[in-house]
Amino acid sequence: MPKPMIEVTQLHKSFGSLEILKGIDLDVHQGEIVVIIGPSGSGKSTLLRCLNCLELPTSGTVKVEGENFADSSGRYNEKRVAKLRTEIGMVFQSFNLFPMMTAVENVMAAQVKIRKKSKEEARKTAEKYLKKVGLAERMDHYPDQLSGGQKQRVAIARALAMEPHIMLFDEATSALDPELVGEVLKVIRELADEGMTMVLVTHEMRFAEEIGDRIIFMDKGMIVEEGKPDELFNAPKHQRTKLFINQVLHPEAEKV
């Protein structure tokens, strides 16, 4: 079996005396779509942020395509981190767009600054990915002229324009009005169909079941259970998983 694209070994993360991640082991293989679910405060977003070193692990290792973010002595070198991070695109709950830049300028910015592309080349790439996410007609609009779903699609185009090998999505639809969720999920679904390696944190259970190759259920900083969507959603083994899925998928049962 080929080496995983992402290898997480005994990952611990604490903020002061509060331990958020308590020994996570996780492999993600090329082309695999791993969906992380669990209650709020279970460590899902912290784990995702450790995968591209936005948060430094307290202990344990994160390898991307066989390379450790830290050197052999365990130190994190900025250049090393920056290099590995270019292979990983990340889309956040908040869009983080520059308000004084148009959609196309937002997608160009990191290409010019980090990839060192010329403005002409960056614009060509930006236009390509804005068209890909269905925003060909909105390229020259500013963020305040876009809906929430359109802003999130600009954020996805910005990540894709860096041409990463892996995409991370942290609750990419949770800040959107319900009627706008579908347009963002459609873009993620298309990336899945193209074979992009992805790790998603989401509360959209039906979408997780539909798109995921593997579902990870986290609680209290640990992986409680993992499995194929059909197994985990329809026949969870752990009582905590069963309780969570029943609460999320059948909330009306809680009120009876």
Side-chain angles (χ1 to χ4, degrees), residues 6-213:
I6 300 173
E7 295 172 85
V8 178
T9 307
Q10 278 302 294
L11 180 65
H12 289 258
K13 177 62 183 177
S14 297
F15 295 98
S17 61
L18 183 63
E19 189 176 24
I20 304 295
L21 299 178
K22 303 171 183 177
I24 301 289
D25 291 308
L26 174 66
D27 288 349
V28 180
H29 289 86
Q30 186 165 7
E32 190 178 21
I33 298 157
V34 174
V35 184
I36 304 172
I37 64 171
S40 296
S42 58
K44 308 181 300 294
S45 291
T46 301
L47 171 57
L48 211 64
R49 290 171 70 86
C50 285
L51 296 186
N52 72 346
C53 227
L54 283 175
E55 297 289 353
L56 297 181
T58 303
S59 64
T61 60
V62 177
K63 289 184 178 179
V64 177
E65 297 185 294
E67 279 197 69
N68 197 334
F69 271 113
D71 63 24
S72 56
S73 66
R75 285 192 296 264
Y76 287 83
N77 175 284
E78 276 187 32
K79 283 187 178 176
R80 186 187 190 92
V81 169
K83 176 182 174 292
L84 286 172
R85 200 181 279 153
T86 58
E87 308 304 337
I88 307 174
M90 187 158 182
V91 178
F92 300 87
Q93 180 177 337
S94 54
F95 323 119
N96 298 330
L97 300 180
F98 295 111
M100 303 306 291
M101 291 184 181
T102 62
V104 75
E105 288 167 346
N106 265 283
V107 180
M108 288 170 61
Q111 296 181 65
V112 173
K113 186 173 181 183
I114 297 166
R115 290 287 194 198
K116 306 299 182 190
K117 287 185 176 182
S118 68
K119 285 191 176 178
E120 293 75 15
E121 190 183 1
R123 185 174 180 99
K124 191 174 175 184
T125 303
E127 289 177 355
K128 170 185 167 183
Y129 285 105
L130 284 166
K131 284 175 186 169
K132 183 180 179 67
V133 300
L135 290 175
E137 307 302 316
R138 293 285 184 272
M139 290 187 191
D140 296 315
H141 286 60
Y142 289 90
D144 67 0
Q145 298 172 311
L146 302 173
S147 70
Q150 289 169 340
K151 289 176 191 173
Q152 192 59 291
R153 284 187 283 154
V154 173
I156 294 171
R158 177 179 57 190
L160 291 174
M162 299 295 282
E163 301 184 325
H165 299 168
I166 300 159
M167 284 288 288
L168 309 178
F169 291 87
D170 187 11
E171 300 284 12
T173 60
S174 65
L176 302 178
D177 292 333
E179 66 270 20
L180 301 176
V181 168
E183 64 191 60
V184 174
L185 296 185
K186 178 176 180 282
V187 173
I188 298 174
R189 198 177 282 114
E190 286 168 358
L191 291 176
D193 291 342
E194 291 166 9
M196 173 67 79
T197 306
M198 293 193 278
V199 184
L200 299 92
V201 169
T202 185
H203 284 302
E204 302 281 342
M205 294 299 124
R206 295 299 183 196
F207 182 67
E209 188 173 6
E210 174 196 332
I211 200 172
D213 295 312

